[in-house]
Amino acid sequence: MEKPLDFPRAWELLGKDLFARFVGVELLEIGPGRARTRLVVEERHRNGVGIIHGGAIFTLADIAFAAAANSHGRTAVALNASVSFVTASRGAVLLAEAVETSRGRRTATYHVEVRDDLGEKVALFQGLAYIKERTTLKEGRNDEE
Amino acid sequence: MEKPLDFPRAWELLGKDLFARFVGVELLEIGPGRARTRLVVEERHRNGVGIIHGGAIFTLADIAFAAAANSHGRTAVALNASVSFVTASRGAVLLAEAVETSRGRRTATYHVEVRDDLGEKVALFQGLAYIKERTTLKEGRNDEE
Amino acid sequence: MEKPLDFPRAWELLGKDLFARFVGVELLEIGPGRARTRLVVEERHRNGVGIIHGGAIFTLADIAFAAAANSHGRTAVALNASVSFVTASRGAVLLAEAVETSRGRRTATYHVEVRDDLGEKVALFQGLAYIKERTTLKEGRNDEE
Amino acid sequence: MEKPLDFPRAWELLGKDLFARFVGVELLEIGPGRARTRLVVEERHRNGVGIIHGGAIFTLADIAFAAAANSHGRTAVALNASVSFVTASRGAVLLAEAVETSRGRRTATYHVEVRDDLGEKVALFQGLAYIKERTTLKEGRNDEE
């Protein structure tokens, strides 16, 4: 695991993420343009047919995306995400790994893979972030708008 | 509100959705090819910059999508979803409305709009579902695969 | 059909669109936040299995999206598009209709439906545009970046 | 370059792709679950602001996706694609590289990167394909539907 001090802004951002804590998503690692998250699957994460909810899988991937997008120290907010659900996992743990696929002055893109502890790919996620001018923690998603 | 008896399978499916209950997403209405959901925003739904988490917004939209996709009585599972986040909502309640935009023998598509109680559009969601042959509640996402 | 003078910038932009002309996409109409385009299907638009190419369908939808996004007079450029292909059309003509689903200061979203002359839905498209500060015709996609 | 005989069905499919030929997209290479395509940029590929048209970029990526998806010998058809446009390229040549990110019994996903000859990333593409039971060249996109 990277030391939190290496990417202080991203760790602080995720440390204050109440929904991540509520759902149970853990941030394992942040690197330059990348991050990994984990979810230990519980009954509360399941949908009406007993499989892991798309919303829980998205949340896990989205948090890896957010950590990677904020790893460079400037605030980045999600503009768009596209997710393909490829397997109904029977695993007990899900892991997401986000990798930066492009970074310009105003936008950056991330590819996130979600796997389970059985080695199955569960979902593929492509995220597009907007990079803000300012970097305080107080600002909202598109509040420059 | 539609009476639950009108769309028994979709109501049953959503009634068993543990993640929906955990996050606090309520199913307001199911019609043929459409559905509406609601989320009363609480602190636990916020992210590290204090705005409503993308994962919570996605979950709200995804559940409207699932209810609409299952409204015809055959099991439909999410293959893909694309979401654009357009406003950092300052509202206290989010509402999602899903409308069927196409339905073939094997796939169907849904357009979901998420608004808040201030009248702002918060997110736009496009969902693609796979329609299964069988319709029991016991089956998983892609278990035909 | 709207008179070109009503939306001069968007008509000018599309009038200079060499790829639209090359592929054969016609701009039928521009309104505030909306546009319609048409493609008369020819052999050159088909793929290796003899159906209309996804690239041709995307191009038709993308041009409706671009016209709608530029209808307000400020330059808008595509950041993201998600397209679901729902029917292998047997039609002779494809029509795309773009409708604005949100518009903020910096981003706007559009829902585009592609149908054929047999009344079948062919594709659904969700586009996200970035609205630029400046509005000359000389600027490129993300050249603020 | 792979010898065409190594992936005969995918090469045959792309050899018959009239839109690819019309637009000028060349298939450079097919491997197991991957493919590369190229477009030499001409004036006809530009849009109304003089940059490479999103429809041309999509078409280039889509053909790499199609070749990779059909590399295993079974017919695969596009269900969904999401594309993020990240740079207004000033290059003379675009290259797309598709890599398989998952493959199940019925669906498979592909990540496609589009770069130019200046080394800039131009677009990121995520494709979802449906794998058909039958494999003749005569069938259409979703004609099982």
Side-chain angles (χ1 to χ4, degrees):
Chain A
M1 192 192 295
E2 299 282 337
K3 286 174 300 180
L5 292 181
D6 287 350
F7 299 93
R9 227 195 78 65
W11 280 104
E12 181 183 2
L13 204 66
L14 274 293
K16 293 183 175 179
D17 188 325
L18 298 178
F19 192 66
R21 196 181 308 163
F22 175 62
V23 172
V25 174
E26 301 160 75
L27 181 58
L28 297 182
E29 182 183 344
I30 302 178
R34 62 190 175 74
R36 292 194 307 119
T37 54
R38 176 170 60 188
L39 179 70
V40 177
V41 180
E42 299 179 41
E43 282 311 298
R44 61 182 180 172
H45 297 124
R46 298 192 184 277
N47 67 14
V49 293
I51 60 171
I52 305 168
H53 203 287
I57 295 167
F58 182 92
T59 298
L60 176 70
D62 186 61
I63 292 168
F65 163 41
N70 283 281
S71 66
H72 303 288
R74 285 182 57 195
T75 300
V77 292
L79 281 180
N80 191 264
S82 180
V83 59
S84 290
F85 299 106
V86 297
T87 311
S89 172
R90 292 174 182 79
V93 179
L94 296 185
L95 292 158
E97 179 156 13
V99 175
E100 194 169 84
T101 44
S102 73
R103 190 168 182 97
R105 282 208 318 119
R106 282 298 178 85
T107 59
T109 55
Y110 299 84
H111 177 68
V112 188
E113 295 204 354
V114 179
R115 295 163 179 271
D116 65 18
D117 54 340
L118 306 175
E120 293 290 316
K121 293 230 185 121
V122 174
L124 288 305
F125 176 108
Q126 179 172 285
L128 170 69
Y130 180 74
I131 304 163
K132 297 194 150 190
E133 305 281 354
R134 294 162 293 124
T135 59
T136 70
L137 278 178
K138 271 294 139 211
E139 61 204 342
R141 173 163 284 125
N142 284 336
D143 62 2
E144 280 178 10
E145 302 208 343
Chain B
M1 192 193 295
E2 301 282 336
K3 285 173 301 179
L5 293 180
D6 287 351
F7 299 92
R9 226 194 77 68
W11 281 104
E12 182 183 1
L13 204 65
L14 275 294
K16 293 183 175 178
D17 188 327
L18 298 178
F19 192 67
R21 197 182 306 163
F22 174 63
V23 172
V25 174
E26 300 160 76
L27 180 59
L28 297 182
E29 183 182 343
I30 302 176
R34 62 191 175 73
R36 292 195 307 119
T37 54
R38 176 170 59 190
L39 180 70
V40 177
V41 179
E42 299 178 43
E43 283 310 299
R44 60 181 179 173
H45 297 124
R46 298 191 184 279
N47 66 14
V49 293
I51 61 171
I52 306 169
H53 202 288
I57 295 168
F58 182 93
T59 299
L60 175 70
D62 186 60
I63 292 168
F65 163 40
N70 283 282
S71 67
H72 303 288
R74 284 181 59 193
T75 300
V77 292
L79 282 179
N80 190 265
S82 180
V83 60
S84 290
F85 299 105
V86 297
T87 312
S89 172
R90 293 173 181 80
V93 179
L94 297 184
L95 292 158
E97 179 156 13
V99 175
E100 193 169 86
T101 44
S102 73
R103 190 167 181 96
R105 281 209 317 121
R106 281 299 176 84
T107 60
T109 56
Y110 298 84
H111 177 69
V112 188
E113 295 204 354
V114 179
R115 296 162 179 272
D116 65 19
D117 55 338
L118 306 174
E120 292 290 317
K121 292 232 184 119
V122 174
L124 287 306
F125 176 108
Q126 179 172 285
L128 170 69
Y130 180 74
I131 305 164
K132 296 194 152 192
E133 305 282 354
R134 294 162 294 123
T135 60
T136 69
L137 279 179
K138 273 294 141 210
E139 63 205 337
R141 174 163 283 124
N142 284 337
D143 62 0
E144 281 178 11
E145 301 206 342
Chain C
M1 192 192 296
E2 301 282 335
K3 285 174 301 180
L5 292 180
D6 287 351
F7 299 92
R9 226 194 78 67
W11 281 103
E12 181 184 2
L13 204 66
L14 275 293
K16 294 183 174 177
D17 188 326
L18 299 178
F19 192 66
R21 197 182 305 164
F22 174 63
V23 172
V25 173
E26 301 160 75
L27 180 59
L28 297 181
E29 184 181 344
I30 302 177
R34 62 190 174 73
R36 292 195 307 120
T37 54
R38 176 171 59 190
L39 180 70
V40 178
V41 179
E42 300 179 42
E43 283 309 299
R44 61 181 179 173
H45 298 123
R46 297 191 184 279
N47 66 14
V49 293
I51 61 170
I52 306 168
H53 202 288
I57 295 167
F58 182 92
T59 299
L60 176 70
D62 185 60
I63 292 168
F65 163 40
N70 283 281
S71 67
H72 302 288
R74 283 181 59 194
T75 300
V77 293
L79 281 180
N80 191 264
S82 181
V83 59
S84 290
F85 299 107
V86 297
T87 312
S89 172
R90 293 172 181 81
V93 179
L94 296 185
L95 292 158
E97 179 157 13
V99 175
E100 193 168 85
T101 43
S102 73
R103 189 168 182 96
R105 282 210 318 121
R106 282 298 177 86
T107 60
T109 56
Y110 298 84
H111 177 69
V112 188
E113 295 204 355
V114 179
R115 295 163 180 271
D116 65 19
D117 54 340
L118 306 174
E120 292 290 318
K121 294 231 184 119
V122 174
L124 287 304
F125 176 109
Q126 179 171 287
L128 170 69
Y130 181 74
I131 305 164
K132 296 193 149 192
E133 305 282 354
R134 293 162 295 125
T135 60
T136 69
L137 279 180
K138 273 291 140 213
E139 62 204 338
R141 173 165 284 125
N142 283 339
D143 61 1
E144 281 178 10
E145 301 209 340
Chain D
M1 189 192 297
E2 299 282 337
K3 286 173 300 179
L5 292 181
D6 286 351
F7 298 93
R9 226 193 78 68
W11 281 104
E12 182 183 2
L13 204 66
L14 275 294
K16 293 183 174 177
D17 188 326
L18 299 178
F19 192 67
R21 197 181 307 164
F22 174 63
V23 172
V25 174
E26 301 160 75
L27 180 59
L28 297 181
E29 182 182 345
I30 302 176
R34 62 191 176 75
R36 292 194 308 119
T37 54
R38 176 170 60 189
L39 180 70
V40 177
V41 179
E42 300 179 41
E43 283 310 298
R44 61 181 179 174
H45 297 123
R46 297 191 184 278
N47 67 12
V49 294
I51 61 171
I52 305 169
H53 202 287
I57 295 167
F58 182 93
T59 299
L60 176 70
D62 186 60
I63 292 169
F65 163 39
N70 283 281
S71 67
H72 302 288
R74 284 182 59 194
T75 300
V77 292
L79 281 180
N80 191 264
S82 181
V83 59
S84 290
F85 299 106
V86 297
T87 312
S89 172
R90 292 172 181 80
V93 178
L94 297 185
L95 293 158
E97 179 157 13
V99 174
E100 193 169 86
T101 43
S102 73
R103 189 167 182 98
R105 282 210 318 122
R106 282 298 177 86
T107 61
T109 55
Y110 298 84
H111 178 68
V112 188
E113 296 204 354
V114 179
R115 297 162 178 271
D116 64 19
D117 54 339
L118 306 174
E120 292 290 316
K121 293 233 183 116
V122 174
L124 287 305
F125 176 108
Q126 178 171 283
L128 170 69
Y130 180 74
I131 304 164
K132 296 195 151 191
E133 304 282 354
R134 295 163 292 124
T135 60
T136 70
L137 279 178
K138 273 294 141 210
E139 61 204 339
R141 174 163 282 124
N142 284 337
D143 62 1
E144 280 177 12
E145 302 207 343

